[in-house]
Structures are given as structure tokens and as C-alpha cells.
């Protein structure tokens, strides 16, 4: 199971390890230039496997000593593996000494330095950059860790589990010894040695146990830890209440670090977080940041059970922990949001993200099943498919067995597998076994195709009403396009939550043929064949079908609904998700028609009227209105087309935005005034929804005014930017100016930078806003390029690098896809440059051209050339190599 350039690891090749490591005693002499690691293990042969040499993984290590049972032995180092040919039978001790250079570790995988402290990141394969080990998740050991370091520079010494002892050492050094009683795979190991302070909170759990929660940050950041701590407290309570899962350690620590490759990491008892997902106060963080912190803190905490107590047998099973934990964090945020409407807002946000990132992935060269079959660099498979589609696959199981049934399934899963490294099959089996008689149990092997087949299935729906017999027949058909390595696909089990709505907007009773009486007005149909008819009886009048409510399956629904039907659903569907969807569909139909007709669009009164009714609706929540009035994104539009001209899509969408801004001018002005939030800042769903709608209103008003040469709204935006009492309002006003009013934007941006120059996370926003602004005349691209040379810019800090490059290359099609190919040249240069510093980061950026084959000319040829230029580099990392090779494959 080794990786190197062009080495493919296959799921079917899995074998259990030849050795088990039962305990690990690690001692670190921490030094940025040369850290000594003494690793003492107790090892056992796996009696179920034939005798073979022990092969330990290692990377960028200097090996100084190998002892078996205290004696030196002969060994070989072969392609980053330490091979021991002759070993005693039964159990033995193995001691390995190595050194590494944390300050040279720019990859941020393994042990590295950041801001003068030491931090680790071991998932997926960083532990082998700390010491030689069987670095695979099915080898679980009990860890004891001793840290020794200079006391003045690194006063805080942390590792997993419980603190056993702390002592002073000669020469200004000190030590701390930690012990984690739970056997764990190496990817969950962590250490921190740094100058940090902690916010602390003692809690007593439902089960009556006391725990200490700590959030560690740099001294100046303590005032930004309250929300993270509150989120952690809420997470502990939620997991107990919803799933009966309690915190199993006396101490639970969260540490924030500013150099980090992803969001956060669930190391046992010592979660390490990107500062972005910890630090927030009203002056520096937006409502979206607050929500992100809540869900990431929840996510990492929930991993303590789903991931840590029960872990993955191999990395192909990654979605076992990630899909399930994303599902859990989504449910957590929904449960905290409270009202049905606020829950729906969260669901819509999640579905929007799925469509924006996962659907394109599933249609492009990186398409892979939720449980992949092969990889070259496992870090490339921490994808939207494994995470977000994986969460949808768990959600469908939840839908098929119900909320209670799912909780029973989870209980059975832990009863069977606590302390084990298992597979996605084990999970689905537990959910099904706990619910005999459910649709899931009845169709489990077929359901599991969701784990093995890639691509987004399409579901076609066709309804026919027969007045004389008062029946409504719904034909549902499913169809899946081929994807790489999967030329044909078998039908899925697709839960289709649905209802029928009368033309006047009344929910109709649902009685299927053969049923004695109607069963409510909302139900789940299970589509399991390629095509199936569902006939409803006693239907008084021709209904409008409301299908896939709550987005009950990750499919593309093709239901040829006329405008009138969509308007009915937008106005009356009792399911808020489908109400939103109807609005999106109305916009999408118009946008696509205009793109296909060559770019001209003029919005009609029916559409404007519908949008106005939503905006002015007396009962709908502001957050929901904001979602309805936000047009489908350019990326989502592109996915509906066979051939994509990014400039045309952008022009058409901008034109619709502009026309709506104008047609709804008075309504936007009303919305802006009516949704001001007074009083102290709180990130709750009601206040943040009001701020979101007010900001959208302001953006529309400034855009409309700028075009008319009217100075009133731009002036108001500038004033709001200056006076705002929180970052959400300040940034909203700044964005409104940057997006539409260059003259006022320039000094405002300057002022913003000067004010927040010591707040790195805010400066990230400053870069991102400029790189993500709507392109008009090439100036956004030019500015983004120029910002590379800004003194605050750096490719070494992943947050900063992402802040400029991702908004431009992944989220700003009109700025990135240029007829002169300058965007692609820029992209290729950065991918190559970053690859030599941080392959994981480079490989994320490399994904920007995944969908190049879909592009119209001249973009397509220029994109291929840029990808080929990257691919031609001989010394690419396996990470980037895998992405560009797949992109160029036929
Ligand atoms: N499990 C980590 C992700 C690790 C990514 C390694 N490339 C964070 C999370 O999903 O919670
Ligand atoms: Zn996770």
C-alpha cells in the first residue's frame, strides 16, 4: 500500500497487516532544525498472515538506530520503507530513532513549525514523516508521548489523551508526558508545543462525568474564542441528546494554528484547527464565518465517535467516517437552527454546495465512487464526493429507516464495532440490521451501489392526470451516464420524498392504488427500477407534483414543469426546499434559454412578480428570501450545458441580476430598510438572515444606482461600510462597492486594509473579495495578478494562498477563462510554483481546470495546453501528477 509517482493503490489489493503494533512510546526532543524522535513499540506478528518481513513507512527522515528487543539488527531502507527481514516470533519490542527538520517542512504534513510553535498533521499519511511506522488506519496502538522542549519558547506541551506528568529539565527545558488510553491509528496522533493561552470551560455531561474543555490560541486572540467554545459545548450536548454518545476523555482540547492545509483535524482529544474555524468576534468575522466555526467544531468533535472510536479499515473507506460525520454536523447545525424554516435554509445551503462542487466533480475526470476503487495520492480523495455525496448517502439511509430507526442503527454500529477499523459495508449493514422490514434492509445490496458507482444519476419524472378516473400517474425513470472505468451502471435505490399540490396551492392527500386510505400529504416513494409507475387515486383535480422534497437523493431531477406549475410551487409548496427550488428553476430556465439563444435576456413580468412576492412576503423568513433571490451560480449553470462559454454565461447572469436590480428597485430599498438589525451582535439564524437579506438588497441597490450614475445608494453603502457595528455589515457594504462602484471601492479597500492589517483572517477576506469580484473588462484578473506582489501575500501560508487563488481560479469563471489564455497561464505557473512548496495545496488548485473538456473554443485548446505544460514537468508531486494525468486522459 505504498505511494510514489504513478503508483496506483487498489482497494481490491487490501490485505490485513503482517504485524500489529500494540503500544507506542514516543519521545520528542523538539528543535526546529533537528528534532529527535525515539519511538519504542511493542509489536506482534499477525498470526493470521503468512510470515513476511516487516515494512515500516517513513518519509524525509534520518534514521539513526534500530533495536529489536534491545539489540541492534540488520535492516534495509527501500523506497521510503524500513524493512526488517529477521524478527522474533510472537511479541517483541522495536525501537527506532530518527531525526527530522520541522522548520523545513513546508508541506505541513507531519511535524512542522508555524508562528514559532510545533504542530502536527498526520492524516492521511503524515505520521510516516515523524517516525517509521505501519502508517495505515487498521493498525491501532495505545500511545504514550513525552515532549521535551525549551520552556520559554514552548511553554505549552500537548498531546493526545491525559496528562501524566510535567517537569522542569536542565538548560531551560521542560517536559510533559501524555497517555491516550484508547488504541488509535497513527493518523490520529498529534502534538503541539507552542506559546499559547487557553479559554477553559468545565462541563458536566448527562452521564454525570466532569470534563475540561480548552481552546488554545495565541495570546492576542483569546477574545475571539467564545463562539468556538460555545460550539464545542453545544456539540458535546447534542451528541449525547441525539445519539447517546458521550465524551470519553477528561480533557478535550482544540488548538488553533494559522498554517494549515485544511479546515481542522480530529486527533484524539487534541483537535488541531485552522484559525479560520476557531477565531471570531463580531468585528472580524461574518455570520458565514460564525456558522462555519459551529459546523467545523461540531464536525471534528463528532469524529470522536465516528472516525476515532470506530475508524476506517483502509483509506478507501474514508467516507465511512467523513460522509457520516458531515451528515452529523449538518444535522447538528439544523437542530441548533431550530425552526423548520431555519432548518430548510441550512439544507438549501448544503445542497447548493453539493451542486456547486460535487456535481461537477462527478461529471469530470476526477469522478469516483463514494468508496473509491483506486488512488495515487490519497490526499486527493478528500473530496466533495467522499464528504458531501457521502453525507447524502447516509442521509438516504436515514430517510429510508426514519430518525428513530437511524438512531437504533447507530447504536448497533457502535455495539458491534467500537474499537475497530471497519468498512462502509459494516456501517450500512448495521443500519439495515437494526431496521428489519425497512426498505433499506429489503434492498441493501442494491442500495450499496451508491457506494460503488460514480456519477450523478438523472431522474426523469412525467405525470399524467386522468380526470374521469381521478387518478394521477407518475412515471419515474432513472438513468446514469458512464464515467471513467464505469461504462454502464445499474439502477440505484432512490428515495423520492414528494407531495401533490393543487393548483390553488393546497396539499393533496396521497393514496396510492391498492391502499385503503390516503397516507398523509407527504411521503417517500422508492424508485428502485429503471422505470416505475406510481398511481395515485382519488385525486380531485390535476395536481402539481412536488418531487424530491428536501433534496431526498443526490440526483438531477428532470421534471418538465411549466412556469405556472413552478409559480404554484414557489408560492405554496409546504416543503420550503422545493419552494426555493421552484424559484431557482424559474431563473435557470430563463438563463439557459438566453445562453442557448446567443446571450440576449429580458426578464418577464411573471418572473419579476414572483420574485417581488417572495421579497415582500409577510411571513417568509429573511434568510429564505435571500436564498430565493440569489440567482443560480455560474458554475451550476455551466453544468446544465454540454458546451460551456463562461463569458456568455457570465454576461447573461449579470444581465438578469441587473434587470432584477432595476425592476425591484423600490422593493430592494424597502427590504434594506426593513431588515436592519439593532442591538448587540448575535449570529443567530434570525439576525444573520436579516443581515444577509439587507446585504443582498444593498448590493442590488448599488449595482442599479451605479449604472444610472446615481450617487445616493453608493454613498449610503460607503457610510455603512464606515459605521458598521460588525464585520457582516461592513464587509457586505464593501462588497457592494467592490462589485459595482470602482471609484468608491478603491479608497474603501485601502481603509479596510489599514484598519485590519494585523488580523490575518480579515486580510484573507480582503484578497478574496478582490479576486472574486464580477469581471467586467479584465480588470479583476489584472488586479488579482498584481496582488501576488502585495507585501502581505504569500504562497507559503495556505489560507493566504487560497484567499487569492481559489476565488479567482475556481469561483470566478469570467475572470479566469479569458480568450487570451492569460488565466490558464497564471494557473499553470502557480500550480508548478506551489507544488514545490506544498503538494496538497497545489493539487487543490490543480482541480480548477477539471472541466476543461466541456469548454467552448478557444478556451478548450488553451486549457489543454496549460494542463499539458504542468503535466510535462518531470518532478511533480504524486498529488498534482494524479490530477493532471486524469484531466488529460480520454
Ligand atoms: N479528517 C480531516 C481531513 C484530513 C485531510 C488530509 N488530507 C478533517 C476532517 O474531515 O474532519
Ligand atoms: Zn471529517
Amino acid at each position: 500500500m505504498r505511494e510514489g509517482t504513478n503508483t496506483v493503490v487498489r482497494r481490491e489489493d487490501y490485505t490485513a497487516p503482517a504485524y500489529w503494533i500494540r503500544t507506542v512510546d514516543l519521545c520528542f526532543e523538539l528543535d526546529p532544525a533537528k528534532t529527535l524522535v525515539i519511538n519504542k513499540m511493542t509489536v506482534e506478528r499477525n498470526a493470521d498472515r503468512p510470515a513476511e518481513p516487516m515494512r515500516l513507512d517513513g518519509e524525509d527522515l534520518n534514521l539513526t538506530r534500530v533495536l529489536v528487543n534491545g539489540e541492534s539488527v540488520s535492516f534495509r531502507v527501500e523506497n521510503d520503507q524500513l524493512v526488517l527481514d529477521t524478527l522474533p516470533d510472537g511479541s517483541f519490542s522495536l525501537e527506532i530513532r530518527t531525526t527530522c527538520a520541522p522548520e523545513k517542512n513546508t508541506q505541513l504534513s507531519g511535524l512542522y513549525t508555524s508562528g514559532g510553535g510545533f504542530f502536527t498533521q498526520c492524516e492521511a499519511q503524515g505520521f510516516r514523516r515523524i517516525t517509521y511506522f505501519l502508517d495505515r488506519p487498521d493498525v491501532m496502538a495505545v500511545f504514550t508521548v513525552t515532549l521535551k522542549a525549551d520552556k520559554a519558547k514552548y511553554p505549552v506541551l500537548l498531546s493526545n489523551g491525559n496528562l501524566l506528568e510535567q517537569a522542569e529539565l536542565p538548560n531551560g527545558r521542560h517536559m510533559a508526558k501524555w497517555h491516550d488510553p484508547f488504541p488509535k491509528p497513527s493518523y490520529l496522533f498529534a502534538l503541539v508545543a507552542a506559546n499559547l493561552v487557553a479559554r477553559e470551560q468545565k462541563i458536566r455531561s448527562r452521564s454525570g462525568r466532569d470534563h475540561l474543555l480548552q481552546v488554545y490560541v495565541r495570546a492576542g486572540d483569546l477574545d475571539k474564542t467564545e463562539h468556538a467554545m460555545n460550539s464545542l459545548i453545544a456539540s458535546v450536548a447534542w451528541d449525547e441528546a441525539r445519539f447517546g454518545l458521550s465524551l470519553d476523555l477528561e480533557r478535550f482540547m482544540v488548538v488553533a494554528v494559522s498554517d494549515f492545509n485544511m479546515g481542522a483535524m480530529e486527533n484524539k482529544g487534541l483537535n488541531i484547527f485552522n484559525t479560520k474555524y476557531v477565531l471570531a468576534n463580531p468585528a472580524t468575522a461574518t455570520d458565514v464565518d460564525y456558522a462555519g466555526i459551529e459546523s467545523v467544531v461540531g464536525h471534528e468533535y463528532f469524529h470522536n465517535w465516528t472516525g476515532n472510536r470506530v475508524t476506517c479499515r483502509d483509506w478507501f473507506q474514508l467516507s465511512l467516517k467523513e460522509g457520516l460525520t458531515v451528515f452529523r454536523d449538518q444535522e447538528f447545525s439544523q437542530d441548533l437552527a431550530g425552526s423548520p424554516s431555519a432548518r430548510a435554509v441550512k439544507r438549501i445551503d448544503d445542497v447548493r454546495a453539493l451542486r456547486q462542487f460535487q456535481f461537477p466533480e462527478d461529471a469530470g475526470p476526477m469522478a469516483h465512487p463514494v468508496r473509491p476503487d483506486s488512488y495515487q495520492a490519497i490526499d486527493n480523495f478528500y473530496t466533495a464526493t467522499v464528504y458531501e455525496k457521502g453525507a447524502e448517502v447516509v442521509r438516504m439511509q436515514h430517510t429510508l429507516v426514519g430518525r428513530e430507526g437511524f438512531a437504533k442503527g447507530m447504536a448497533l454500529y457502535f455495539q458491534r464495532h467500537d474499537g475497530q477499523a471497519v468498512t462502509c459495508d459494516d456501517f450500512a449493514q448495521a443500519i439495515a440490521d437494526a431496521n428489519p422490514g425497512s426498505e433499506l434492509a429489503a434492498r441493501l445490496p442494491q442500495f450499496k451501489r451508491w457506494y460503488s458507482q460514480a456519477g450523478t444519476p438523472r431522474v426523469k419524472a412525467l405525470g399524467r392526470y386522468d380526470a374521469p378516473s381521478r387518478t394521477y400517474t407518475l412515471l419515474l425513470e432513472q438513468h446514469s451516464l458512464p464515467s471513467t472505468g464505469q461504462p454502464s451502471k445499474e439502477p440505484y435505490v432512490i428515495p423520492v420524498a414528494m407531495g401533490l399540490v393543487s393548483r390553488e396551492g393546497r396539499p393533496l392527500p396521497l393514496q396510492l392504488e391498492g391502499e385503503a386510505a390516503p397516507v398523509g400529504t407527504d411521503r417517500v416513494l422508492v424508485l428502485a427500477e429503471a422505470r416505475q409507475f406510481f398511481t395515485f387515486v382519488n385525486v380531485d383535480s390535476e395536481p402539481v407534483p412536488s418531487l424530491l422534497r428536501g433534496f431526498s437523493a443526490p440526483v438531477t431531477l428532470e421534471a418538465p414543469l411549466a412556469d405556472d406549475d413552478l409559480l404554484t410551487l414557489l408560492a405554496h409548496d409546504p416543503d420550503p426546499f422545493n419552494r426555493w427550488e421552484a424559484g431557482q428553476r424559474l431563473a435557470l430556465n430563463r438563463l439557459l434559454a438566453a445562453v442557448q439563444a446567443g446571450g440576449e435576456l429580458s426578464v418577464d413580468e411573471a418572473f419579476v412578480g414572483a420574485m417581488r412576492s417572495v421579497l415582500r412576503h409577510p411571513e417568509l423568513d429573511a434568510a429564505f428570501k435571500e436564498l430565493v433571490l440569489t440567482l443560480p451560480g455560474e458554475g451550476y449553470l455551466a453544468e446544465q450545458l454540454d458546451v460551456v462559454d463562461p463569458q456568455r454565461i457570465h454576461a447573461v447572469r449579470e444581465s438578469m441580476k441587473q434587470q432584477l436590480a432595476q425592476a425591484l428597485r423600490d422593493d430592494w430599498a424597502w427590504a434594506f430598510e426593513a431588515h436592519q438589525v439593532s442591538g448587540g451582535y448575535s449570529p443567530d439564524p434570525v439576525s444573520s438572515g436579516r443581515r444577509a437579506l439587507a446585504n443582498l438588497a444593498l448590493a442590488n441597490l448599488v449595482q442599479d444606482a451605479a449604472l444610472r450614475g446615481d450617487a445616493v445608494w453608493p454613498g449610503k453603502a460607503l457610510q455603512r461600510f464606515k459605521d458598521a457595528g460588525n464585520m457582516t455589515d461592513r464587509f457586505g457594504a464593501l462588497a457592494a462597492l467592490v462589485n459595482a462602484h470602482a471609484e468608491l471601492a478603491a479608497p474603501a479597500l485601502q481603509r479596510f486594509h489599514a484598519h485590519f492589517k494585523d488580523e490575518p483572517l480579515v486580510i484573507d477576506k480582503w484578497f478574496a473579495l478582490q479576486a472574486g469580484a464580477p469581471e467586467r473588462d479584465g480588470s479583476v484578473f489584472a488586479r488579482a495578478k498584481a496582488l501576488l506582489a502585495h507585501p502581505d501575500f504569500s504562497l507559503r501560508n495556505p489560507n493566504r494562498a487560497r484567499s487569492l487563488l481559489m476565488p479567482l481560479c475556481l469561483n470566478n469563471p469570467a475572470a479566469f477563462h479569458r480568450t487570451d489564455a492569460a488565466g490558464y497561464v497564471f494557473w499553470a505557473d502557480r500550480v508548478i510554483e506551489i507544488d514545490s512548496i506544498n503538494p496538497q495545496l497545489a493539487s487543490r488548485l490543480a482541480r480548477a481546470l477539471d472541466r476543461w473538456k466541456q469548454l467552448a473554443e478557444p478556451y478548450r485548446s488553451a486549457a489543454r495546453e496549460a494542463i499539458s505544460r504542468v503535466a510535462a514537468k518531470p518532478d511533480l508531486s504524486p498529488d498534482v501528477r494524479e490530477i493532471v494525468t486524469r484531466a488529460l486522459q480520454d
Side-chain angles (χ1 to χ4, degrees):
M1 303 271 280
R2 285 189 46 255
E3 288 165 31
T5 304
N6 295 333
T7 308
V8 177
V9 185
R10 291 180 206 287
R11 185 164 62 88
E12 64 198 19
D13 294 342
Y14 173 83
T15 53
Y19 294 84
W20 302 111
I21 300 175
R22 301 299 187 189
T23 66
V24 189
D25 195 325
L26 288 172
C27 179
F28 289 83
E29 290 277 357
L30 290 162
D31 181 309
K34 187 174 177 184
T35 288
L36 169 66
V37 182
I38 305 171
N39 169 6
K40 296 181 182 164
M41 296 166 268
T42 52
V43 182
E44 252 171 51
R45 269 185 200 278
N46 180 353
D48 299 338
R49 303 266 316 144
E52 55 180 276
M54 187 173 189
R55 298 178 167 273
L56 298 118
D57 310 292
E59 196 179 293
D60 281 355
L61 299 173
N62 298 309
L63 178 61
T64 57
R65 180 193 278 190
V66 183
L67 301 176
V68 171
N69 287 336
E71 311 272 335
S72 40
V73 287
S74 67
F75 60 83
R76 296 177 280 141
V77 176
E78 239 179 49
N79 308 325
D80 279 352
Q81 284 194 323
L82 168 63
V83 187
L84 303 173
D85 292 294
T86 343
L87 288 167
D89 285 333
S91 148
F92 56 93
S93 77
L94 172 61
E95 177 179 333
I96 296 174
R97 286 187 185 214
T98 50
T99 63
C100 57
E103 70 184 7
K104 295 220 179 84
N105 183 356
T106 59
Q107 297 188 21
L108 312 184
S109 163
L111 176 64
Y112 63 93
T113 55
S114 167
F118 293 92
F119 300 84
T120 54
Q121 171 55 37
C122 293
E123 188 177 2
Q125 298 179 332
F127 193 70
R128 65 187 60 185
R129 297 168 55 76
I130 296 175
T131 182
Y132 281 100
F133 206 72
L134 302 180
D135 193 11
R136 44 186 287 170
D138 56 353
V139 172
M140 298 166 82
V142 172
F143 281 65
T144 305
V145 179
T146 305
L147 306 173
K148 297 180 184 172
D150 184 280
K151 188 171 181 186
K153 287 190 191 140
Y154 315 105
V156 170
L157 302 176
L158 309 175
S159 190
N160 317 85
N162 303 314
L163 181 62
L164 293 185
E165 77 180 271
Q166 245 177 327
E168 306 289 317
L169 298 174
N171 304 322
R173 290 174 77 77
H174 69 150
M175 64 79 77
K177 188 168 182 178
W178 292 81
H179 176 75
D180 178 0
F182 295 95
K184 65 169 176 285
S186 50
Y187 82 87
L188 290 174
F189 164 81
L191 75 76
V192 171
N195 188 359
L196 302 172
V197 291
R199 174 186 287 266
E200 301 196 329
Q201 178 79 45
K202 291 202 173 111
I203 57 162
R204 177 161 296 171
S205 64
R206 281 194 171 198
S207 53
R209 282 178 60 184
D210 292 321
H211 308 272
L212 175 63
L213 308 182
Q214 295 177 308
V215 178
Y216 284 91
V217 296
R218 293 171 71 158
D221 287 330
L222 212 48
D223 67 328
K224 301 194 191 85
T225 52
E226 187 185 356
H227 184 63
M229 179 59 89
N230 287 343
S231 303
L232 183 56
I233 295 168
S235 305
V236 177
W238 182 84
D239 220 7
E240 284 199 305
R242 175 105 180 234
F243 290 112
L245 299 172
S246 302
L247 179 51
D248 55 9
L249 291 164
E250 286 154 31
R251 191 203 281 235
F252 192 88
M253 297 168 279
V254 165
V255 178
V257 61
S258 54
D259 294 288
F260 205 63
N261 275 343
M262 63 270 169
M265 177 63 210
E266 71 264 23
N267 318 299
K268 184 79 185 184
L270 179 55
N271 290 355
I272 298 184
F273 271 61
N274 188 323
T275 44
K276 178 173 164 58
Y277 292 106
V278 174
L279 304 181
N281 68 26
T284 60
T286 62
D287 293 334
V288 172
D289 297 325
Y290 274 82
I293 289 169
E294 179 184 283
S295 80
V296 177
V297 168
H299 181 98
E300 305 312 327
Y301 176 77
F302 304 142
H303 266 316
N304 191 49
W305 281 92
T306 50
N308 301 5
R309 288 287 286 253
V310 180
T311 194
C312 303
R313 187 194 70 173
D314 54 75
W315 290 122
F316 298 103
Q317 317 299 327
L318 183 57
S319 198
L320 171 78
K321 73 179 179 79
E322 296 305 347
L324 176 54
T325 305
V326 171
F327 169 77
R328 276 153 55 70
D329 82 53
Q330 291 177 346
E331 288 291 292
F332 166 63
S333 295
Q334 283 199 22
D335 287 350
L336 286 196
S339 74
S341 162
R343 297 178 71 92
V345 164
K346 167 68 179 152
R347 180 67 183 140
I348 292 166
D349 277 338
D350 291 339
V351 173
R352 243 184 5 181
L354 184 83
R355 285 176 171 164
Q356 190 184 342
F357 303 111
Q358 199 279 324
F359 280 23
E361 177 167 279
D362 232 348
M366 270 296 285
H368 55 275
V370 167
R371 181 178 50 206
D373 293 317
S374 67
Y375 61 76
Q376 289 181 42
I378 184 56
D379 287 319
N380 283 335
F381 286 83
Y382 286 74
T383 57
T385 299
V386 165
Y387 276 64
E388 276 74 30
K389 186 177 181 181
E392 296 301 320
V393 173
V394 173
R395 185 173 294 282
M396 288 188 284
Q397 297 176 55
H398 183 271
T399 302
L400 291 171
V401 302
R403 188 172 163 121
E404 294 304 310
F406 188 81
K408 274 202 281 178
M410 287 281 280
L412 183 59
Y413 173 63
F414 290 112
Q415 195 186 316
R416 284 184 181 168
H417 301 299
D418 189 11
Q420 299 174 6
V422 304
T423 64
C424 298
D425 291 315
D426 296 318
F427 175 77
Q429 193 67 50
I431 304 296
D433 288 353
N435 293 278
S438 66
E439 289 275 2
L440 182 69
R443 304 172 193 275
L444 186 61
Q446 189 189 348
F447 180 86
K448 287 199 299 187
R449 288 176 191 156
W450 283 110
Y451 285 105
S452 59
Q453 298 185 155
T456 306
R458 298 178 181 195
V459 173
K460 258 197 202 152
L462 212 61
R464 204 173 63 83
Y465 181 63
D466 184 58
S469 62
R470 295 166 62 232
T471 56
Y472 179 75
T473 305
L474 183 65
L475 168 63
L476 295 178
E477 285 183 325
Q478 58 169 307
H479 168 67
S480 293
L481 297 176
S483 34
T484 317
Q486 297 191 328
S488 70
K489 295 177 187 164
E490 301 294 322
Y492 292 88
V493 177
I494 302 178
V496 180
M498 56 84 63
L500 298 176
V501 178
S502 78
R503 304 266 141 192
E504 303 75 48
R506 232 172 353 100
L508 298 174
L510 301 175
Q511 183 178 4
L512 280 172
E513 213 170 27
E515 289 175 348
V519 187
T521 55
D522 191 66
R523 62 192 293 167
V524 178
L525 305 177
V526 178
L527 171 63
E529 314 288 330
R531 63 200 308 254
Q532 254 169 284
F533 288 96
F534 298 89
T535 302
F536 295 89
V537 297
N538 293 328
V539 185
D540 285 336
S541 59
E542 177 159 19
V544 181
S546 165
L547 303 174
L548 211 68
R549 284 182 164 173
F551 200 68
S552 58
V555 302
T556 304
L557 177 66
E558 295 166 14
L561 292 186
D563 260 20
D564 280 351
D565 296 341
L566 293 170
L567 290 167
T568 302
L569 295 179
L570 176 61
H572 302 292
D573 198 320
D575 180 65
F577 179 87
N578 268 9
R579 218 168 158 175
W580 168 78
E581 181 79 326
Q584 295 289 295
R585 185 39 75 180
L586 284 166
L588 194 68
N589 290 347
R590 285 161 174 74
L591 291 163
L592 291 175
V595 169
Q596 275 151 350
E600 284 307 307
L601 179 137
S602 104
V603 293
D604 50 290
E605 217 12 77
F607 180 60
V608 172
M611 291 294 127
R612 179 179 292 120
S613 320
V614 171
L615 188 52
R616 293 271 190 176
H617 199 286
E619 275 141 36
L620 291 173
D621 285 350
F624 180 78
K625 293 180 178 184
E626 194 266 343
L627 289 171
V628 173
L629 281 134
T630 299
L631 300 178
E634 289 171 31
Y636 184 57
L637 274 162
E639 286 306 313
Q640 320 300 312
L641 296 161
D642 293 330
V643 180
V644 171
D645 179 341
Q647 296 298 341
R648 187 185 289 180
I649 292 179
H650 177 67
V652 166
R653 186 173 181 274
E654 280 300 301
S655 156
M656 182 181 268
K657 250 174 74 185
Q658 182 67 51
Q659 291 179 51
L660 277 178
Q662 187 190 337
L664 298 176
R665 187 185 302 151
D666 295 342
D667 310 282
W668 286 124
W670 165 82
F672 180 74
E673 303 298 351
H675 291 92
Q676 296 304 313
V677 183
S678 52
Y681 174 84
S682 145
D684 65 86
V686 173
S687 320
S688 60
R690 292 174 73 91
R691 280 189 289 269
L693 186 59
N695 276 333
L696 182 66
L698 187 61
N700 273 273
L701 291 160
V702 172
Q703 182 173 4
D704 175 57
L707 209 79
R708 288 183 294 119
D710 181 318
V712 176
W713 280 106
K716 279 196 192 184
L718 184 62
Q719 205 51 47
R720 184 178 173 85
F721 162 72
K722 290 179 181 162
D723 300 344
N726 60 69
M727 180 54 92
T728 307
D729 289 343
R730 190 183 306 280
F731 199 68
L734 180 62
L737 293 174
V738 169
N739 293 352
H741 204 291
E743 298 85 76
L744 292 185
L749 278 166
Q750 240 172 30
R751 188 185 167 112
F752 187 87
H753 183 273
H755 190 75
F756 292 107
K757 61 181 188 317
D758 298 325
E759 298 285 355
L761 294 172
V762 182
I763 297 301
D764 291 340
K765 291 182 197 305
W766 182 82
F767 279 103
L769 178 63
Q770 298 178 74
E775 184 65 285
R776 298 223 158 76
D777 45 10
S779 60
V780 171
F781 176 71
R783 175 156 53 171
K785 215 174 146 182
L787 281 172
L788 272 185
H790 192 282
D792 288 346
F793 188 73
S794 159
L795 290 178
R796 288 184 181 256
N797 173 257
N799 284 358
R800 189 55 52 83
R802 278 189 289 255
S803 75
L804 181 60
L805 301 176
M806 300 304 177
L808 178 73
C809 301
L810 279 104
N811 287 327
N812 197 346
F816 181 55
H817 300 278
R818 296 164 53 100
T819 47
D820 67 0
Y824 306 155
V825 172
F826 173 86
W827 166 85
D829 289 345
R830 300 293 85 70
V831 170
I832 293 166
E833 193 179 357
I834 299 173
D835 197 33
S836 62
I837 304 168
N838 184 337
Q840 284 186 45
L841 183 63
S843 143
R844 293 281 151 162
L845 180 62
R847 300 280 312 268
L849 276 175
D850 263 14
R851 301 288 280 137
W852 69 274
K853 283 187 186 158
Q854 205 198 13
L855 294 170
E857 291 297 354
Y859 309 105
R860 191 175 195 271
S861 300
R864 184 185 24 225
E865 203 178 307
I867 304 169
S868 306
R869 181 154 73 84
V870 176
K873 287 271 157 195
D875 49 357
L876 286 181
S877 67
D879 305 62
V880 170
R881 167 84 49 219
E882 179 170 35
I883 301 299
V884 292
T885 311
R886 286 178 76 129
L888 292 172
Q889 254 162 25
D890 290 325

